[in-house]
Amino acid sequence: MSEQGKSSASAAAAAPPAAGSDTYKGWLFKWTNYLKGYQRRWFVLSNGLLSYYRTQAEMAHTCRGTINLATAHIDTEDACNIVLSSSGRTYHLKASTELERQRWTTALDLARTKAIRMMNDQSDDSGDEDPGSQSDRSEIQGTLKILISKLDDLSTCNDLIAKHGAALQRSLSELEGLKVPVEGGEKIKAVNERATLFRITSNAMINACRDFLDLAETHSRRWQRALQYEREQRAHLEETIEQLAKQHNSLERAWRAGPTLSSSTPSAPTNKKASERPLQGEASDEDEDTEYFDAMEDSPAFITVTATDNTQHRRSQTSLSGAIGGNSYDWNQDDHMSPSYNDVSGKELQPRRQRRTRVPDKPNYSLNLWSIMKNCIGKELSKIPMPVNFNEPLSMLQRLTEDLEYHELLDKAARCDSSLEQMCLVAAFSVSSYSTTVHRTAKPFNPLLGETYELDRLEEFGYRSLCEQVSHHPPAAAHHVISQRGWTLWQEITIGSKFRGKYLSIMPLGAIHLLFHSSGNHYVWRKVTSTVHNIIVGKLWIDQSGDIEIVNHRTKETCQLKFSPYSYFSRDVARKVTGVVADTGGQAHYILSGTWDEKIESAKIIQSSRGGSGSEGKQKTIYQTLPPKLLWKKYPLPENAENMYYFSALALTLNEPDDGVCLTDSRLRPDQRLMEEGQWDEANSEKQRLEEKQRAVRRRREAEASDALDEECDNESGREYEGYQPLWFHQRRDSVTGETNFVYKGGYWEAKERQDWTMCPNIF
């Protein structure tokens, strides 16, 4: 290596890591191959991971390799060399000077110790084993119990050896001072007896040690083989993901350099949204996991014909019923609708209280997402320790409350005379809850167990909302809303999520219930799957896909909604939603159409007939409809929303400080408040403190449960441990669906009126 290279590396080397610092950066020389030898690379040590780049500029987009120090072996060959080995990979590194090598060695050792400690802490609290490993865990637990019993035997033998050894020593001491032969004979006899006891105990000790050693060696070899296999599989998976990321990046550059398809492909007869790809073409970064969405599979099972005044029928192979790109009318222009309807384009009442209209701008902090997410493949999202850099300053409870952004749809539905027209508005409300997610790629804070969130809009809009985190693993939240305008909504949502390496799937589990007081109509539906794409390379974007079935359990009327997944090869409108409202006998009465990020329209069916077969060989139904009428349209985002996490007008007010709220309210969560104020480093520290506090409480609760179980085993009348019980919700069996879920048991708003929060736990 040239002297010039050495001096360059020395000049650019990072300073020694400060006490307590988690990040260390600098230039090192890395062995590449026999042709190129050692090459200068920029290394970054952060959060227990050592990553390297060709240049400092590459830190923003391309990581060349990463080693997890928690499983790495660190060795120093000579004065300037460092060797790192982990999961079958070895990095040969060279520092410019012996002093610089010592600095890096110290930083690596400290980071490795901290990473091992963090991994052990997370393993104590993760609980993320798959159900299929129950038998393996049972076998391991049984083996551990045997090992513990053997250790107890060794401990008992050790105590006996110490006791008999001390007695033998005393006897020998007394023997030395004897002068009388008769007395000496008795003492010698006593010494022989004690020596015999000592020999027997020693033999028992040796046999117990031999049994323990044989058992430990047998299972140790087996566990070593299993551990080695898992390490090899993980290393293979990491290498595969890195190769896919590089190939993906090359495909992206090739696509951008090539001609666009829009000039040679005729566009569909839709509005300008139809010719756009999600997020201005960034969806072209999709990989093989997202290209399975084939356009032909999503072709509608029906064709609509819109009836006009001059009786000229217009056919559409999409299921938009002429809504997109056609003439739209509001519900209050429909002669068939109730006369009490108002236009849905604005709020019914202006808020009496002045709410805030902005939050502090989001700081521009860069962070390598892949360096963190690559160690989390296949895990539950809620069990991945994430810095606040990937969050937005709202909790999951507040995001759940955002479903009420378009609550006036339910106010109008409560005044509706026809249950079928009411179903249309309920369907529009179910779609409207996704409109706030189109640009919201940040992750909300995971609520702490027992955390609550209230939204009191009784004076402004006539409703009150309460959420509580009722379970931590799996994470589950209960939500209850009651409105003075004739409806009640409740739900228990468990978020199931999996990181698949290139995309993130979020599956909300649980039913949403909506009851209208005057008619008794009880609607039930479930949410669709959300997918976050381009986790590795490209700009993050969100898609919604799946089916929603809304059932009115009083009349048995149904609405089938289909959220079409995005396909790059489809010329159809992006984020499309279609639906059919049918009566008890299955006869269709309304066609719903639109997009989940823009608007939903409805067209009343006046005639239906059977048409020809489609591309899949299925016979399609032809519906003749009236012109489409607007049900719901998204409110425009506030000014400067791109710098405020793309929050809607309601989202901007959700974390606004409010007097008199419960001590467990999300507004009082310190890490979330610090993040909103732009103090992200302090927020990360506070987040770690809260999570560790929650782990300590959970371990104490598990210890209490174990003690109660032991008492119950020892004494038939032992106490029964109930476990954690939510404060404002309790489990009940639903008479309509037959499912057991958490429902509001009352008492919260009365406690707020008294300002009596003495029953609340100290979770912050």
Side-chain angles (χ1 to χ4, degrees), residues 17 69 74 135 205 237 240 259 297 318 327 330 342 430 506 516 521 546-547 653 659 674 691 697 758:
L69 294 180
I74 304 173
S135 59
M205 178 77 170
L237 181 60
T240 302
E297 295 178 0
T318 70
N327 297 324
D330 290 337
N342 297 317
S430 69
I506 303 171
F516 289 101
N521 289 334
D547 298 328
T653 68
D659 296 332
L674 287 169
E691 291 173 349
V697 172
T758 55

Side-chain angles (χ1 to χ4, degrees), residues 530-551:
S530 301
T531 306
V532 184
H533 295 275
N534 289 352
I535 295 293
I536 300 177
V537 178
K539 187 175 181 180
L540 295 177
W541 61 279
I542 292 180
D543 195 19
Q544 315 289 347
S545 59
D547 298 328
I548 292 180
E549 181 184 38
I550 306 176
V551 180

Side-chain angles (χ1 to χ4, degrees), residues 383-577:
K383 298 171 186 174
I384 299 175
M386 283 286 201
V388 300
N389 305 55
F390 299 118
N391 286 42
E392 62 181 15
L394 290 178
S395 75
M396 192 64 209
L397 302 181
Q398 291 165 315
R399 283 291 292 267
L400 197 60
T401 307
E402 275 194 78
D403 287 357
L404 302 174
E405 176 92 25
Y406 300 93
H407 61 87
E408 56 273 351
L409 288 171
L410 300 183
D411 297 341
K412 298 177 186 301
R415 302 193 301 267
C416 193
D417 296 332
S418 168
S419 59
L420 290 172
E421 295 167 355
Q422 187 179 73
M423 175 71 84
C424 292
L425 289 168
V426 172
F429 174 79
S430 69
V431 175
S432 69
S433 62
Y434 298 98
S435 64
T436 61
T437 66
V438 62
H439 299 299
R440 302 271 289 278
T441 56
K443 173 181 176 289
F445 279 79
N446 290 330
L448 303 174
L449 185 62
E451 185 174 334
T452 61
Y453 180 74
E454 69 159 75
L455 188 66
D456 191 348
R457 294 292 190 266
L458 193 63
E459 294 183 359
E460 294 99 324
F461 305 117
Y463 70 85
R464 277 176 164 175
S465 168
L466 176 65
C467 293
E468 181 179 6
Q469 188 76 359
V470 295
S471 173
H472 185 57
H473 284 314
H479 186 202
H480 181 268
V481 190
I482 186 167
S483 172
Q484 292 180 338
R485 300 179 183 178
W487 54 270
T488 300
L489 182 144
W490 67 96
Q491 59 181 319
E492 178 195 337
I493 296 295
T494 300
I495 301 296
S497 56
K498 284 290 184 181
F499 174 56
R500 303 296 185 183
K502 290 174 283 186
Y503 63 92
L504 181 69
S505 297
I506 303 171
M507 297 82 69
L509 309 175
I512 304 173
H513 296 256
L514 175 63
L515 177 66
F516 289 101
H517 303 163
S518 59
S519 63
N521 289 334
H522 186 168
Y523 296 88
V524 179
W525 70 93
R526 301 174 190 273
K527 290 180 175 288
V528 296
T529 298
S530 301
T531 306
V532 184
H533 295 275
N534 289 352
I535 295 293
I536 300 177
V537 178
K539 187 175 181 180
L540 295 177
W541 61 279
I542 292 180
D543 195 19
Q544 315 289 347
S545 59
D547 298 328
I548 292 180
E549 181 184 38
I550 306 176
V551 180
N552 183 344
H553 283 273
R554 189 184 72 85
T555 64
K556 306 304 179 183
E557 296 164 346
T558 61
C559 174
Q560 303 288 340
L561 289 174
K562 181 178 182 60
F563 288 66
S564 299
Y566 172 75
S567 173
Y568 179 75
F569 301 102
S570 173
R571 292 179 295 167
D572 215 337
V573 61
R575 310 179 188 98
K576 182 180 70 174
V577 179

Side-chain angles (χ1 to χ4, degrees), residues 154-168:
L154 291 176
S155 178
T156 303
C157 292
N158 181 65
D159 294 340
L160 291 173
I161 287 175
K163 177 182 177 182
H164 294 311
L168 182 60

Side-chain angles (χ1 to χ4, degrees), residues 467-756:
C467 293
E468 181 179 6
Q469 188 76 359
V470 295
S471 173
H472 185 57
H473 284 314
H479 186 202
H480 181 268
V481 190
I482 186 167
S483 172
Q484 292 180 338
R485 300 179 183 178
W487 54 270
T488 300
L489 182 144
W490 67 96
Q491 59 181 319
E492 178 195 337
I493 296 295
T494 300
I495 301 296
S497 56
K498 284 290 184 181
F499 174 56
R500 303 296 185 183
K502 290 174 283 186
Y503 63 92
L504 181 69
S505 297
I506 303 171
M507 297 82 69
L509 309 175
I512 304 173
H513 296 256
L514 175 63
L515 177 66
F516 289 101
H517 303 163
S518 59
S519 63
N521 289 334
H522 186 168
Y523 296 88
V524 179
W525 70 93
R526 301 174 190 273
K527 290 180 175 288
V528 296
T529 298
S530 301
T531 306
V532 184
H533 295 275
N534 289 352
I535 295 293
I536 300 177
V537 178
K539 187 175 181 180
L540 295 177
W541 61 279
I542 292 180
D543 195 19
Q544 315 289 347
S545 59
D547 298 328
I548 292 180
E549 181 184 38
I550 306 176
V551 180
N552 183 344
H553 283 273
R554 189 184 72 85
T555 64
K556 306 304 179 183
E557 296 164 346
T558 61
C559 174
Q560 303 288 340
L561 289 174
K562 181 178 182 60
F563 288 66
S564 299
Y566 172 75
S567 173
Y568 179 75
F569 301 102
S570 173
R571 292 179 295 167
D572 215 337
V573 61
R575 310 179 188 98
K576 182 180 70 174
V577 179
T578 58
V580 178
V581 176
D583 59 19
T584 308
Q587 182 179 353
H589 289 264
Y590 288 93
I591 296 295
L592 304 180
S593 57
T595 58
W596 53 262
D597 68 323
E598 189 67 29
K599 63 181 178 179
I600 290 293
E601 296 174 323
S602 171
K604 185 175 179 61
I605 299 173
I606 56 177
Q607 186 178 349
S608 63
S609 60
R610 307 298 286 180
S613 299
S615 58
E616 299 176 352
K618 297 180 181 179
Q619 191 176 30
K620 292 178 178 284
T621 301
I622 300 177
Y623 292 123
Q624 184 177 353
T625 67
L626 295 175
K629 306 180 187 303
L630 183 66
L631 286 177
W632 159 77
K633 186 175 183 179
K634 179 185 176 183
Y635 300 133
L637 289 175
E639 185 179 357
N640 196 37
E642 64 276 7
N643 296 321
M644 298 188 296
Y645 310 92
Y646 286 98
F647 280 174
S648 63
L650 174 63
L652 289 173
T653 68
L654 292 179
N655 206 41
E656 183 178 10
D658 205 348
D659 296 332
V661 297
C662 183
L663 301 180
T664 56
D665 196 273
S666 299
R667 298 177 179 89
L668 305 178
R669 182 165 174 165
D671 54 347
Q672 186 173 303
R673 181 65 60 188
L674 287 169
M675 183 197 175
E676 181 182 279
E677 295 171 353
Q679 304 178 50
W680 284 18
D681 292 336
E682 294 83 353
N684 275 316
S685 300
E686 193 65 20
K687 183 172 182 286
Q688 292 181 5
R689 182 189 69 81
L690 291 175
E691 291 173 349
E692 182 54 40
K693 181 177 181 180
Q694 183 170 237
R695 292 189 189 102
V697 172
R698 191 170 82 94
R699 287 193 288 266
R700 184 169 66 250
R701 190 178 296 118
E702 290 174 348
E704 292 175 356
S706 179
D707 293 342
L709 182 61
D710 293 341
E711 290 183 15
E712 188 176 354
C713 293
D714 297 339
N715 184 6
E716 294 183 358
S717 60
R719 62 188 177 92
E720 182 179 352
Y721 185 74
E722 291 185 352
Y724 176 78
Q725 297 296 325
L727 201 56
W728 310 110
F729 290 79
H730 57 183
Q731 279 190 316
R732 291 293 183 269
R733 185 176 181 275
D734 188 84
S735 59
V736 174
T737 63
E739 299 176 348
T740 300
N741 47 33
F742 283 93
V743 296
Y744 180 56
K745 65 181 180 181
Y748 179 87
W749 303 107
E750 293 78 6
K752 181 182 180 181
E753 187 175 352
R754 299 191 308 268
Q755 280 300 292
D756 179 16

